[in-house]
Amino acid sequence: MPRDQDKKNWMILIKMVTKMNIQFLSLMAPLLCSADISITLRNRGDDAYRANVYGDSIIVQQHISMDGSRSYKLKSGTGAVVSTKKEELIGILDHFNIQVDNPVSVLTQEMSKQFLQSKNEGDKYKFFMKATQLEQMKEDYSYIMETKERTKEQINQGEERLTELKRQCLEKEERFQSITGLSAMKTNLEYLKHEMAWAVVNEIEKQLNAIRDNIKIGEDRAARLERKTEEQQVRLNEAEKKYKDIQDKLEKISQETNARAPECMALKADLTSKKGAYNEAEVLYNRSLNEYRALRKDDEQLCKRIEELRKSADQSLEPERLERQKKISWLKERVKALQDQESSVNQDIEQFQQAIEKDKEEHTRIKSEELDVKNTLNYNQRQLKELKDSKTDQLKRFGPHVPALLEAIDDAYRRGHFTYKPVGPLGACIHLRDPELALAIESCLKGLLQAYCCHNHADERVLQALMRRFYSPGTSRPQIIVSEFQNEMYDVRHRAAHHPEFPTVLTALEINNAVVANSLIDMRSIETVLLIKNNSVARAVMNKKPPKNCREAFTADGDQVFAGRYYSCNNKRPKFLSRDVDSEISDLENEVENKKAQILNLQQHLSALEKDINCNEELLRRCQLHYKELKVKIRKSISEIRELENIEEHQSVDIATLEDEAQENKIKMKMVEKNMEQQKGNMEHLKSLKIEAENKYDAIKQKITQLSELADPLKDELNLADSEVDNQKRGKRHYEDKQKEHLDTLNKKKRELDMKEKELEEKMSQARQICPERIEVKKSASILDKEINRLRQKIQAEHASHGDREEIMRQYQEARETYLDLDNKVRTLKRFIKLLEEIMTHRYKTYQQFRRCLTLRCKLYFDNLLSQRAYCGKMNFDHKNETLTISVQPGEGNKAAFNDMRALSGGERSFSTVCFILSLWSIAESPFRCLDEFDVYMDMVNRRIAMDMILKMADSQRFRQFILLTPQSMSSLPSSKLIRILRMSDPERGQTTLPFRPVSQEEEDRS
């Protein structure tokens, strides 16, 4: 910047000042339609910008229209327009280091307030970076790094171009060298044509031989399919005949049962009515019997009372008292004896109850055991049936519906419903190397043996739909594994378990399908599971030090062994992988017989227990009844004792009245007794009728039960026969479809054979025309065809270039020079990139040091300026997270904690702003400083201190210009030739618009 100590550094002539361009014009719309802003810059000294063009000053004029458009004019000191381009203006700003958008150069009160009240520490950090021009340095560094990356891309492109140029250069060289061998190439071409003609004949002959072999094999297979179809038809006829015979027997039994059903219903209704009549008669008889017993008891009591009264009338009072005392003593002895009997009976009751409870617990245990044995028997019977079925079809071991499901899968695949045909069940796709490990492998794989594999989820949905046709709702279905099919098995050598003696599940199986192997590896990690036949050896291997990658092991008994844990297997034999089916069937049949015998023994034991329980319950009931009778006798005796003890000396009872009551009671007894005899006779008659009806009903019911028992095994046989018929039908349909498909293929191959024979005759005729004698050819026709095409192209290329040898030389030389030139450029760029990386590394370290120095200087200046007012403050820079934290505390720093600047008063905040701006001024480079209303919220003391600090800094930096805008009076400032005060006149009272005039009118007034 040019310096002049006698006059001001800068002269700014403002004809019209605006803060917001378009907004200001909208306010002045009635007066103006455009505005001009003109600034004159001093352009003197050694650092003048194009002094020969602009002279001693540069005039920057901006024109702003009402529609928002702008234009620039850059004029020389004489007023001549030098340029109207913005790029020229930007060059001037860069030359004089004028930062238009730098807040350190121009800081308005609103910008300062927004900065200090901002909650975002990142914004403060950006403010600091922009003020110190560190942001520009960072952007320049980023731009250089981007340029470096683009240069690397150019190098990569150049290297690719080098490869292509090298290839072209070699082709030019080869083309030049190949001119001399043109005649030899033509001779070789003719010989290749002869070989080609007979090579085609050889290939057709090979195809004919292969087709004839296939037809012969196909005819043999067609004969076998025909025999199998006939055999299947015979088996189907036998199965249908057996099914019809069983159905006829079952129909006959059903008709007989239905014929006896009405008779059974009628006998049952008759039995129910007779039971009701008998029960009603029994109720009436019991009611009369109870009434008779009550009357007889009343009669006995009346007679006894009358007798007592008669005796008391004849005897004196003393003998009566003695008699009462004697009776009381006897009653007490009786009560004691009865209580002893009660205690003994109570003990018997407890013993019977304990015996009954023990028998019931034993009964419950045996019943549960019987249920478990029955469940095992049912399971063994089902497994036995499946094993017998699997003798004819191995797939039935995995479920009765599996063969039909696989046929449905094949049909759906032929129709194109699957992307890839599902694989399964997985157990049918694997084979054991050692049959003794069958149970161990089944215990390891479990349900995966019945699972299916699909290529994608679309195939899975199709398979689920097929399964719903064969598996009813609520029943378990096989698992479906969805995994993309691959043709090669996983390489698991790095993660498989290895032991010198014992195999893993993967090595113990023969798996021809890679999809099956990969699925088992994914789902069960079979490469990490060892198979150890002996249980104790398995425990020792897994507990001491298991092999690497080994997580678990299985024994020959199916037990699962972990390190420190052992789980026994519930199954005793393999279900899916056993090879000796007959032995399995024999073992299962023996086990079924054993289970039946066990169930019979348990049932006999249960019957004995039930008899014991019934006997003990009967004895218990008698003891309880005896116990109740003793209780009644005890209460009655105690009551008599109390009555005798409380009886009065003189009794006055009317004996005649009691005798009348006794007479009436005897008459009632005779009537009730007569009624009882009638009811008893009626009851006996109804009882005989009921017994007769029960015998008839039991007889007919027993006959129906016998028929049902005959029908149940027939139903089972019918179901088996039906299944057999379905199997034979499916087998026949399978062989018929195979036969039809095979015959179609065979006919197609025969037609193909006829066509190939005609083609062979044509090719042999063509070959004799080309070469009469047959040549022995070892190469195939495709290889010869490629060689002929390549040789023809080479000959054509040689023909095209054979007449201009110099042109070939020139092209080769140009290609070589282009290659060498580009190679030299690529090498130069690589060296430049390497040098640039070293320079940028050094410059980035220098940038970090410079940023650290500026940060430290800013902190020191800020603390120093705050201390002049006895304030404390601190600035925390976090360059990693790009944050800046500023806190200020009025007063002594050790007496109060630092506060955020938003918590300060208006004057304190303005003073802090001035300190912060001055600290930035001290470290930033700019030709002028501008502050707007910096002291508006300060008190007189803060304003004076702030102004002194600004003047002191301005005096120390006389090569810069300071512009301060304030509404306060500056009359207290000292007079100096370096200070110039511009005061605006006060507005007139009542004035509503500013007294601006059009620019043209002002120019006329000046002129």
Side-chain angles (χ1 to χ4, degrees), residues 982-1001:
L982 301 177
R983 184 187 303 276
M984 295 179 65
S985 60
D986 297 331
E988 297 178 1
R989 294 187 178 276
Q991 178 179 329
T992 59
T993 58
L994 297 176
F996 292 128
R997 290 177 294 172
V999 178
S1000 58
Q1001 186 177 348

Side-chain angles (χ1 to χ4, degrees), residues 42-44 48-58 76-78:
R42 197 182 194 89
N43 192 37
R44 298 179 184 176
Y49 181 78
R50 297 177 65 184
N52 58 340
V53 178
Y54 288 95
D56 294 340
S57 61
I58 300 174
S76 63
T78 59

Side-chain angles (χ1 to χ4, degrees), residues 472-491:
S472 58
T475 59
S476 60
R477 299 180 185 174
Q479 182 182 357
I480 299 177
I481 303 168
V482 180
S483 179
E484 186 176 355
F485 287 3
Q486 297 183 11
N487 295 326
E488 296 181 358
M489 194 178 82
Y490 297 151
D491 185 6

Side-chain angles (χ1 to χ4, degrees), residues 732-763:
K732 180 185 175 184
R733 187 166 57 252
H734 170 72
Y735 286 120
E736 288 176 347
D737 293 342
K738 288 286 185 182
Q739 187 180 18
K740 182 180 178 182
E741 181 180 354
H742 182 68
L743 290 175
D744 293 340
T745 305
L746 190 61
N747 293 330
K748 184 178 179 181
K749 287 185 178 296
K750 288 180 179 179
R751 291 192 296 270
E752 184 179 357
L753 177 64
D754 295 337
M755 294 173 62
K756 284 291 180 182
E757 287 176 348
K758 294 180 181 179
E759 184 179 359
L760 177 63
E761 293 176 0
E762 295 177 358
K763 294 298 180 181

